[in-house]
Amino acid sequence: MRIELDEPKCVAAGQCVMASPEVFDQRDEDGVAIVLDAQPAAELHDGVREAAAICPAAAIHLVEQ
Amino acid sequence: MRRILVVGASAAGLAAAETLRREGYDGTLTLVGDEPHTPYDRPPLSKQILAGEWQPERLGLCTPADLSALDLDLRLGSAATGLDLAGRTVQLADGTRVPYDGLIVATGVRPRKLPGEGAHVLRTLDDAVALRDRLKPGRRLVVVGAGFLGAEAAAVARGLGCAVTLLEPAPVPLAHAVGERVGRVLSQAHLDHGVDLHTGVTVTGATEDGVQLADGEEIEADEILVAIGSVPNTEWLAGSGLSIGDGLLCDTYCAAAPFVYAAGDVARWHNPLFDTSMRIEHRTNAAEQGMTAARNLLRPQARKPFAPVPYFWSDQYDMKIQAFGQLRGHDEVAVVDGDPAARRFVALYRSGERITGTLAVGMPPKVIRQWRQAVATRTPWREAVPGTVTAVETKEVVSGGTLPS
């Protein structure tokens, strides 16, 4: 799995951090999401898929390999 | 279950369809939408689309490849017009009937309108493009309703150089939702940006030259935007046997009947976290509820109550407003961090003995997430806001607050 973040779309909701705190964080200054690990380990994939699905800006795109 | 029908092809319906496939459902999956467009995102309509910053192509909720991978029986531009619950069939406007084993209702809401012709509403992509094309420097825009939608549109129109008049029936915009103090802070931003804000004003209709007020006055405008709330799209379910009452009534699992679930703006359900009936017109809820409805439909033996902490955001001028939980109907509001005058603060909302909501403007994400956690864990008010009483009355206080450990 590879994570692509469309940063200008991010609305800083932080839903991804709550769904998958190992993989996502937010910038302090504006809350925009940060991908900590763009190719996360398999055991984190469910959380990442949840994060992508609940992102209110549809800013997280997953390329499943 | 070999035939699942999702009625409504916006955020909730698409989230349901995606979840069904992700969780292994490989039967027929029909997605019905009344608009001609493939699923797109609505929050940017009153922001980047209205401002002309984004082209509509940017709104797609999934790529053409992802949409194709869902292997949908996609019926766009065709509204559902009737439901035969016993016969498990939905009737479409084009005359076809779609049989199902499982049904997810995600038909959303539509804008309330005013009497008279020529006023804009802002719900669909077509609405947004039509209004965008009319907003030019110097044009006079009257926005009827200073809720979040009206406020966002007013902010965008000011940014485009329009002369904006914002009309609101309440004495303080948004006070019913966020409290008077926060409502005043948010309205001050409009005044500071040159919006002509009139409160306590009732608009009775649109005229050729503008809007007509209840006191007889007329306010001239080149364009009118009506943003006075929405009505759930449930008419097509009338007579079906499902219970309707400000939305499609569902239980705590988002079920309206056996094998029938609902999600998104149209669904009213019992949120056990707040022990109250809710119907939420926010983007995040649409996705979360679509996912829950899909899972509960697919796994009747392992159903889970839908118990979210509601979330919404609004972008106005340089303010990002974010709120978690249940703010409406609160008993008390306390500003616990920051400075409202600087439009950088956190407000907490109390209902009964507990923190039930929080609203933040311009605060760091870690601070907001901690207060969101206080809402999610039903933190007692007195633990977080020392020195305030918990009498059940509407009052507003300003005090320091401490994050619960």
Side-chain angles (χ1 to χ4, degrees), chain B residues 46-331:
Chain B
S46 53
K47 306 176 181 76
Q48 293 90 344
I49 294 293
L50 200 57
E53 293 165 4
W54 288 7
Q55 289 307 306
E57 296 70 39
R58 194 134 167 67
L59 295 184
L61 281 173
C62 55
T63 64
D66 289 344
L67 192 62
S68 162
L70 289 174
D71 191 20
L72 298 172
D73 167 22
L74 191 57
R75 315 277 188 100
L76 296 176
S78 189
T81 53
L83 166 65
D84 176 355
L85 201 56
R88 292 194 186 175
T89 309
V90 166
Q91 170 91 45
L92 303 186
D94 64 10
T96 56
R97 290 174 175 275
V98 184
Y100 65 83
D101 303 319
L103 173 66
I104 294 176
V105 174
T107 43
V109 297
R110 64 180 181 278
R112 278 204 190 92
K113 294 188 175 176
L114 279 177
E117 298 292 316
H120 296 266
V121 292
L122 187 40
R123 172 72 185 173
T124 67
L125 174 57
D126 298 354
D127 293 338
V129 168
L131 180 58
R132 178 199 68 189
D133 290 347
R134 309 290 294 180
L135 296 182
K136 307 284 181 219
R139 303 275 293 175
R140 297 166 303 170
L141 173 70
V142 164
V143 180
V144 183
F148 286 104
L149 182 71
E152 287 191 350
V156 168
R158 282 302 296 146
L160 293 172
C162 301
V164 178
T165 304
L166 185 53
L167 305 176
E168 166 61 36
V172 179
L174 290 169
H176 66 288
V178 303
E180 254 189 59
R181 181 179 163 81
V182 174
R184 279 185 208 286
V185 170
L186 302 182
S187 357
Q188 186 61 43
H190 294 299
L191 301 174
D192 292 352
H193 285 86
V195 170
D196 188 11
L197 172 66
H198 298 240
T199 57
V201 174
T202 303
V203 177
T204 54
T207 67
E208 270 185 21
D209 305 316
V211 293
Q212 182 78 47
L213 306 186
D215 65 7
E217 193 193 340
E218 193 171 346
I219 296 184
E220 288 189 5
D222 300 309
E223 305 296 330
I224 304 158
L225 171 63
V226 177
I228 53 173
S230 308
V231 186
N233 289 322
T234 52
E235 286 75 8
W236 68 285
L237 300 169
S240 67
L242 296 180
S243 299
I244 309 296
D246 184 37
L248 174 55
L249 305 189
C250 302
D251 64 14
T252 195
Y253 302 98
C254 307
F259 309 106
V260 179
Y261 286 78
D265 298 4
V266 76
R268 175 168 287 283
W269 91 107
H270 185 85
N271 185 337
L273 184 62
F274 298 87
D275 192 23
T276 188
S277 165
M278 289 185 175
R279 186 176 67 74
I280 295 183
E281 298 177 4
H282 297 314
R283 174 64 178 81
T284 313
N285 190 70
E288 291 179 343
Q289 197 164 20
M291 292 162 72
T292 297
R295 286 172 178 152
N296 286 345
L297 173 64
L298 216 49
R299 304 221 174 78
Q301 284 81 29
R303 297 201 302 170
K304 289 191 180 143
F306 184 53
V309 176
Y311 167 77
F312 74 85
W313 83 96
S314 178
D315 298 328
Q316 297 169 30
Y317 311 104
D318 56 350
M319 292 191 293
K320 178 171 285 290
I321 304 158
Q322 295 182 284
F324 288 98
Q326 168 91 326
L327 275 56
R328 273 168 207 267
H330 59 264
D331 298 312

Side-chain angles (χ1 to χ4, degrees), chain A residues 6 9 12 15 26 50 61, chain B residues 58 66 284 295 322 369:
Chain A
D6 190 343
K9 269 194 174 180
Q15 302 288 98
Q26 288 173 276
E50 191 81 8
H61 187 242
Chain B
R58 194 134 167 67
D66 289 344
T284 313
R295 286 172 178 152
Q322 295 182 284
R369 287 207 303 270

Side-chain angles (χ1 to χ4, degrees), chain A:
Chain A
M1 173 191 284
R2 193 178 76 247
I3 303 171
E4 294 173 351
L5 176 70
D6 190 343
E7 205 181 280
K9 269 194 174 180
C10 176
V11 297
Q15 302 288 98
C16 54
V17 185
M18 286 178 267
S20 179
E22 303 86 354
V23 176
F24 295 95
D25 200 354
Q26 288 173 276
R27 292 200 299 236
D28 283 338
E29 62 272 27
D30 58 7
V32 166
I34 303 167
V35 181
L36 301 172
D37 182 357
Q39 290 179 295
E43 64 266 25
L44 300 174
H45 286 190
D46 281 351
V48 171
R49 289 191 191 103
E50 191 81 8
I54 63 171
C55 171
I60 302 168
H61 187 242
L62 304 181
V63 183
E64 304 265 1
Q65 286 148 348

